Amino acid sequence: VTKPNQPTLPAAPVAFDPPLLDLGTLKPNERANGQVMMRNTSDQPLTILDSRASCSCTSVSLKNIVLPPHGEIAVPIRFNGKPVVGIKTESVKFAINGYDMATVRIRVRVDSPIVIEPPAISALPVKDVPVMSGEFVVRSMKATPFRVLAVNGAAPEFVDFNPATDEPRPLYRIKWDLTGYDQTTCVNSAGKRM
């Protein structure tokens, strides 16, 4: 958003390699280091005044640097993992004297060695019809066989798998059923909360 009477600054003449820093898949709370190359695409020196990440989970420190014409600099970027799983997209902005902010994007997927898809089950109505049962998938990120011992403290109800006779797998389909729970109180007939 431009404030009234504030001149619009030209785009910074820089290029990033890569334009999107993909740090891959990390475990919860795991850290990762990466770097991008920042190149001055102009015939004039550029002064990088400061750098700032969009989230406290990402750190970068580049300030008061003069980048010569057509010169480049390595920008180290550190991602400090969080316990929440999912795809994180962050950015790092660079204040360059006389120009608009330059931005490089960062992507990381935070996941456990075992992934559950979908990551959450909702019993909220879909088109006014409650969804009270279904299936979910539990799989190994590295396709390593494993066993599912319990789901919510009870024996899992597998689809196409018999734990008594079948060998461990890297992927399971498991049924879920909330039909015995009251949608208002989230308690079943035995008084157990969902």
Side-chain angles (χ1 to χ4, degrees), residues 55-66:
C55 167
S56 62
C57 60
T58 306
S59 58
V60 63
S61 180
L62 193 66
K63 65 188 311 184
N64 299 323
I65 302 284
V66 175

Side-chain angles (χ1 to χ4, degrees), residues 2 5 20 44 60 118 122 127 136 145 150:
T2 305
N5 302 324
L20 169 66
Q44 301 297 319
V60 63
S122 173
K127 295 183 181 178
F136 61 91

Side-chain angles (χ1 to χ4, degrees), residues 20 24-25 33 38-39 46 66 78-79 86 91 104 127 142 158 168 172 179 181 193:
L20 169 66
T25 300
N33 295 310
M38 180 183 206
R39 185 168 45 90
L46 298 176
V66 175
R78 181 175 186 155
F79 179 83
S91 63
V104 66
K127 295 183 181 178
K142 294 187 176 181
F158 294 103
Y172 298 91
T179 54
Y181 289 88
R193 287 193 61 77

